[in-house]
Amino acid sequence: MHETTIRIADDTAYGVATAGNKATIELWCNEHCDLLRVHGPADGVVDYVERRVGIQDRVRDGEEELIITQDCLKQHEEGNIETYVQRHSCLLLPPLRYEHGTKRVRVLALDGQRLTEFFRDLTDDFDVTVDSKRTINVPVSGSPLLRAEQFVPDLSPRQHEVILAAWERGYYEIPREVTTAELAESFGLDRRTVENHIRRAEQKLVNAIADHLS
């Protein structure tokens, strides 16, 4: 099997919604509607999505928002990646990820030639960048599609920055080599804000690991 991860310059509703900001959208298509997971500054993104495809329901949790759309984006716009995937008998591995005005997709093919033809066809119509390619010879860990990056949840830019600094400066050593007050001072934030960023990042990391352990 052959897998490639690509980025496509995207002018559909979700791509446009993430252009010029730090928000990201992950998409699971259900044919009649889309399930969206929005990270980052979501207000403008949500407003744009509501105007283009409508919103059935939404749940906000900190810097994340889950959205069920009224319609599927494919009902409103053409040039969907699924058309190219089906044409060349490849498989699309969800979720699609939109960020910085691009669409990031993972595509799988049993035959490398199919993947090559898919890529050539796609580049005729779109600006495409290849992020990674790999050949899967033997299924491992119960699934040939499992990647190390899937264990790591999406942290907000500040959560990522704070928890990485905490680890690098010895916050998780025994005994601790830095306090949250010292971390806060280095970021120009108050201690409670830094502790909140650490707790939220830890919760996401633990939840991701627990899902795989269970």
Side-chain angles (χ1 to χ4, degrees):
M1 289 184 289
H2 303 269
E3 180 193 312
T4 185
T5 301
I6 58 177
R7 291 181 185 271
I8 306 169
D10 191 80
D11 61 358
T12 62
Y14 302 149
V16 171
T18 63
N21 58 58
K22 294 182 179 180
T24 64
I25 299 176
E26 292 178 317
L27 162 67
W28 289 263
C29 178
N30 296 277
E31 298 303 329
H32 61 286
C33 68
D34 293 330
L35 172 63
L36 306 180
R37 184 181 178 193
V38 182
H39 303 262
D43 290 341
V45 172
V46 172
D47 290 344
Y48 191 84
V49 169
E50 187 164 26
R51 291 197 301 271
R52 294 300 296 269
V53 295
I55 293 177
Q56 288 189 52
D57 204 357
R58 52 188 288 196
V59 178
R60 183 74 176 175
D61 181 15
E63 296 182 342
E64 297 183 0
E65 186 150 4
L66 289 179
I67 296 173
I68 299 175
T69 62
Q70 193 71 41
D71 296 321
C72 178
L73 180 64
K74 291 190 294 184
Q75 298 173 6
H76 294 262
E77 300 183 357
E78 298 179 352
N80 298 295
I81 187 67
E82 289 85 356
T83 302
Y84 297 85
V85 170
Q86 293 172 7
R87 186 181 301 162
H88 297 285
S89 300
C90 297
L91 297 172
L92 190 63
L93 306 179
L96 302 183
R97 182 182 175 91
Y98 297 83
E99 56 188 358
H100 308 302
T102 66
K103 174 166 53 185
R104 185 173 185 267
V105 300
R106 291 173 58 204
V107 178
L108 185 73
L110 297 180
D111 183 343
Q113 184 61 32
R114 293 179 187 174
L115 202 57
T116 298
E117 293 172 355
F118 157 79
F119 183 77
R120 288 175 180 169
D121 193 9
L122 194 64
T123 54
D124 285 341
D125 298 328
F126 298 96
D127 181 10
V128 182
T129 301
V130 177
D131 275 359
S132 65
K133 295 188 294 184
R134 67 169 181 156
T135 300
I136 306 168
N137 295 317
V138 180
V140 294
S141 302
S143 170
L145 309 182
L146 192 61
R147 300 171 64 113
E149 67 189 36
Q150 292 176 258
F151 287 93
V152 182
D154 286 315
L155 306 179
S156 72
R158 181 63 86 179
Q159 289 168 0
H160 182 277
E161 187 179 25
V162 169
I163 201 165
L164 182 60
W167 176 76
E168 290 175 340
R169 296 179 60 182
Y171 179 76
Y172 293 100
E173 296 295 328
I174 301 174
R176 285 179 174 166
E177 298 174 357
V178 68
T179 66
T180 52
E182 291 169 332
L183 288 169
E185 184 178 358
S186 67
F187 284 104
L189 302 171
D190 63 73
R191 178 179 57 81
R192 289 187 177 181
T193 298
V194 165
E195 290 175 349
N196 183 57
H197 286 314
I198 289 175
R199 283 196 299 270
R200 287 188 175 276
E202 288 174 342
Q203 182 184 41
K204 291 179 182 179
L205 291 166
V206 170
N207 286 344
I209 294 171
D211 284 344
H212 290 286
L213 289 177
S214 61

